[in-house]
Each structure stands twice: as structure tokens, then as C-alpha cells.
Amino acid sequence: MNEMVVKTRHKVFLSNPVPMFCSKIDNSAIIISSRGDELTIHIKTRKNEDNSKHLFFDIYSMLYICLGAFPKIESMMFNERRLDIDHLAKKYYTRESLFRNDLRIANICGQTINQAIIDKYRIKQQEPISSLQYLDSAGYDSIVADHRITLLLHIIDGICDAQNTVLTAIRAEMIKKYKLNATQQNNLKPDNLGKYICKAYMVTNECLFYYHRKFNCEILKLMHISQYEFLCMLSDTRNWNSHFLNKKKPNRIKDGTKIVIFFEIVHYMIRIKIAKDIGIKPDEVSIKEYYYTVHDWILDILYNRDDALKSKIYLDNKRRKEFQKAIKSFPICRTIDFQQKG
């Protein structure tokens, strides 16, 4: 029996610790638990070193899908022999800005790491998932925003591998739902460009619009756009940036701030879609807080307002500022401040 032990680190485990659990995958025993910000993955297996690595990296990708970042690998041992961790594929080195608690969409547990989940992950087209992981890597940190969002929008094409019959039904659903006129219907014609907006609808309707409506997120209201306009902005941005079409795309996202906002939203909903497709049930409490945080972020950066906050993090920050302001208004605090200035 061989043993692989991998120690990883992510600050999310401080607020969301992982109690020890065991799963059986490929006739191998998988034991996972966290202590502080360190997560240990212990694999007991009859596989050789290379096949044990393949199994580990499948499990590692589940961590990425659930957390939005690959936890940093601190050490990797096989039968007590230290393995090289400095020359892994570049996608496994997530950039620092993505080590955030708010990006978690599911807990690390036996329901998210098991044989059934791994099997579904393995049969799913890997290129779009790998592309997302590379886009999130430290190596892509300096990529300009408009190129970054173009790459992200192409990933929708890959994760939504729908047959023409499905896309035809989606087209009919969109025409009815959004009451599209003849010109708008022409944008959904069954060519490559028309297929894209239908695919974007499939991902967005399930992974953004559903939660947006359920939790009254009001993100689109703040941006003064409808659901259909949101989809057109995704489609026009992808199509124009990719093909530099002579035909103008009026809904193309050009403003830098809006590109960043759209990137955050689309990136998050793509991970939700991947998770659902492989059988991971997303944590709706986390999703609600994330979309509320996006709402409050938009309220702040576009309108410089904090009067209609929804997220816990922004509300807590506002209360903290109000408390600090109130403290400073106390006579003793004014005296101390005056003496310090003196």
C-alpha cells in the first residue's frame, strides 16, 4: 500500500474549517481535514506515484471549483519521499487576489469530494475548466482587462456544450420571455454568433438570474439594464473583441470599471455552472452573500453610496465606521486628540 500526503494552505479554512472526512475514490482511501489555514489530503492507495498524482490533481481541482483558487501546496510526499512542487503546471499557482473567503461556493466535505463527483468531472470537457484555471493563475496577472474578459466569455462556449435541438428550444424560450421583435430575433439566428447568446442565457439564467430574482439582488437595477441587455452585452463583447467585426456591436462593454464588474459576475457564475454540472450542490447562503457584496460594491464604486447595503461585509464595515465616528465625538476623545496634536 502506497501513501501520498499533500499539505496545502488557504485562509478560507480559518473561517470554514474542514472536519476530518473519508472518501473512497478509485479504490483508494482519501482522508481530508484542516487545522488552522492548512488542509491535509492523505491518499492511501495501490496506485503508483504517477497515478496517485493524477488522482490528487482531480481532487485538487474540486478544491478550486469550490473555493475559487487552488490552495497553495506546501509539501507533497509519496511514501515519505518529498516530491517536487516548484515545477507544476502554471495553472496550479493561483494569483494572490483570488484567495478570498467570499469566492467559496461549496464546503469541502464528503458531498463535494467523492467517487460520483470525480467521475462526472472526468467526463466533462476539460479544456474550458483548464482555461479558467490558467486565466486565474499568477502568470495571467498582467493581462489587460478587455482581453481577460474576452477569454472568460469564450469559456461559456466550452462549458455549455448544447446540441442544436436544445439551442433551438432556448431560442424560442428567449423570444417568448423577453418579447423580442423581429430585429432582436435575428440576433438569435442559428449561426455561431446567435448560438453564443443562447449558451450565455443557459449559464446566466441558471447561475445568476435565478439567484438574482430569489434573493432580490438588484444588481441589474443598479446597472440600469434588463436581463436581455445583460446577455447582449456579453454576446457583443465576445463577438466584437474576438472577430473585430465591421458591423458595430452597440452593447459591447468598453468602460474599464464595467469590464471589471462583468468579469467578477461572469467568473462566479461560470464556477457555479461547472459545480452544478458535476453534481456539487452550491451553498446558497454563500451565493446570496456574494451577489449582495457585488451589489454593494457597485453602489460604492459607481454611485459612492452606502444607503441601501445588502451584504454582511459592507454592513459590518459601515457599522464599524459609524462606531469609530461616534467614539471620536466623545469629549474625552476630542481632548486626547487635541493633546496629541499639541
Side-chain angles (χ1 to χ4, degrees):
M1 183 69 71
N2 296 316
E3 289 187 318
M4 174 173 278
V5 180
V6 185
K7 293 185 181 297
T8 69
R9 198 174 297 277
H10 191 315
K11 65 181 180 181
V12 72
F13 302 129
L14 293 171
S15 53
N16 295 276
V18 179
M20 181 181 291
F21 70 91
C22 302
S23 288
K24 188 175 182 180
I25 303 175
D26 297 349
N27 292 317
S28 302
I30 315 298
I31 305 166
I32 299 177
S33 65
S34 71
R35 183 176 182 180
D37 65 349
E38 184 179 85
L39 182 86
T40 301
I41 301 171
H42 192 173
I43 302 174
K44 295 182 178 181
T45 182
R46 296 189 182 280
K47 294 177 180 288
N48 61 24
E49 181 180 319
D50 285 342
N51 288 334
S52 296
K53 285 181 180 178
H54 287 309
L55 174 57
F56 164 73
F57 284 115
D58 284 343
I59 295 169
Y60 200 34
S61 283
M62 298 307 101
L63 301 184
Y64 166 83
I65 292 168
C66 292
L67 305 178
F70 285 108
K72 296 178 183 178
I73 298 178
E74 298 286 314
S75 65
M76 179 183 290
M77 310 286 289
F78 187 77
N79 291 339
E80 300 184 346
R81 178 170 51 86
R82 187 174 294 274
L83 304 181
D84 176 37
I85 59 172
D86 295 326
H87 300 91
L88 304 177
K90 294 185 184 300
K91 66 180 182 178
Y92 295 123
Y93 303 100
T94 306
R95 65 179 183 273
E96 289 291 334
S97 60
L98 293 178
F99 283 86
R100 292 159 35 193
N101 291 338
D102 63 306
L103 292 179
R104 181 178 61 87
I105 62 172
N107 292 322
I108 306 303
C109 61
Q111 283 69 52
T112 52
I113 298 179
N114 57 53
Q115 186 72 65
I117 298 292
I118 293 293
D119 285 346
K120 288 181 180 178
Y121 168 74
R122 286 169 173 166
I123 63 174
K124 190 166 179 63
Q125 188 176 354
Q126 294 295 306
E127 286 80 3
I129 300 175
S130 185
S131 294
L132 187 66
Q133 294 165 344
Y134 273 107
L135 186 59
D136 289 344
S137 68
Y140 275 72
D141 203 20
S142 59
I143 299 297
V144 295
D146 55 351
H147 184 52
R148 187 186 296 276
I149 196 168
T150 304
L151 295 173
L152 184 70
L153 292 173
H154 276 288
I155 292 171
I156 290 177
D157 247 334
I159 65 169
C160 195
D161 188 21
Q163 299 295 321
N164 287 335
T165 52
V166 175
L167 295 176
T168 299
I170 290 296
R171 181 177 184 272
E173 180 180 326
M174 291 178 66
I175 291 171
K176 182 178 180 181
K177 181 177 181 179
Y178 299 127
K179 299 179 174 60
L180 303 183
N181 59 39
T183 301
Q184 292 169 327
Q185 290 182 35
N186 190 54
N187 292 332
L188 273 66
K189 61 185 180 181
D191 58 12
N192 286 336
L193 302 187
K195 286 180 179 179
Y196 181 80
I197 194 170
C198 292
K199 290 183 177 182
Y201 171 79
M202 292 176 68
V203 177
T204 309
N205 192 48
E206 179 183 4
C207 304
L208 172 63
F209 295 160
Y210 169 78
Y211 299 109
H212 193 273
R213 179 176 60 253
K214 182 174 182 177
F215 299 126
N216 190 31
C217 297
E218 297 187 314
I219 293 171
L220 301 184
K221 182 179 178 181
L222 277 183
M223 299 176 73
H224 303 292
I225 56 176
S226 65
Q227 288 188 7
Y228 181 67
E229 287 169 334
F230 182 92
L231 294 168
C232 288
M233 292 175 80
L234 298 187
S235 179
D236 280 8
T237 301
R238 177 261 193 190
N239 294 337
W240 197 92
N241 286 2
S242 300
H243 307 295
F244 302 107
L245 302 172
N246 291 328
K247 182 180 178 182
K248 290 185 178 180
K249 293 294 181 181
N251 297 298
R252 179 167 62 97
I253 310 166
K254 293 175 283 186
D255 177 78
T257 301
K258 288 187 177 179
I259 288 176
V260 175
I261 292 171
F262 271 80
F263 186 92
E264 282 284 325
I265 295 170
V266 174
H267 186 283
Y268 192 77
M269 71 185 197
I270 283 175
R271 278 202 304 120
I272 294 174
K273 176 62 175 172
I274 295 170
K276 287 186 172 184
D277 283 353
I278 63 175
I280 293 175
K281 183 179 180 181
D283 175 27
E284 290 200 348
V285 174
S286 297
I287 292 173
K288 175 183 176 182
E289 176 65 13
Y290 179 82
Y291 283 138
Y292 277 3
T293 302
V294 170
H295 168 276
D296 296 348
W297 174 51
I298 294 171
L299 195 67
D300 179 23
I301 63 174
L302 292 187
Y303 304 102
N304 194 27
R305 287 170 45 195
D306 66 355
D307 57 320
L309 300 177
K310 292 176 177 285
S311 69
K312 184 178 183 299
I313 189 170
Y314 270 85
L315 286 168
D316 287 348
N317 188 48
K318 181 181 180 181
R319 292 188 191 103
R320 182 168 57 253
K321 288 180 179 179
E322 290 173 346
F323 176 74
Q324 291 171 344
K325 183 178 180 180
I327 288 293
K328 288 182 179 180
S329 69
F330 289 167
I332 186 173
C333 292
R334 292 202 299 269
T335 301
I336 292 172
D337 185 54
F338 176 78
Q339 291 173 343
Q340 289 175 340
K341 288 180 180 178

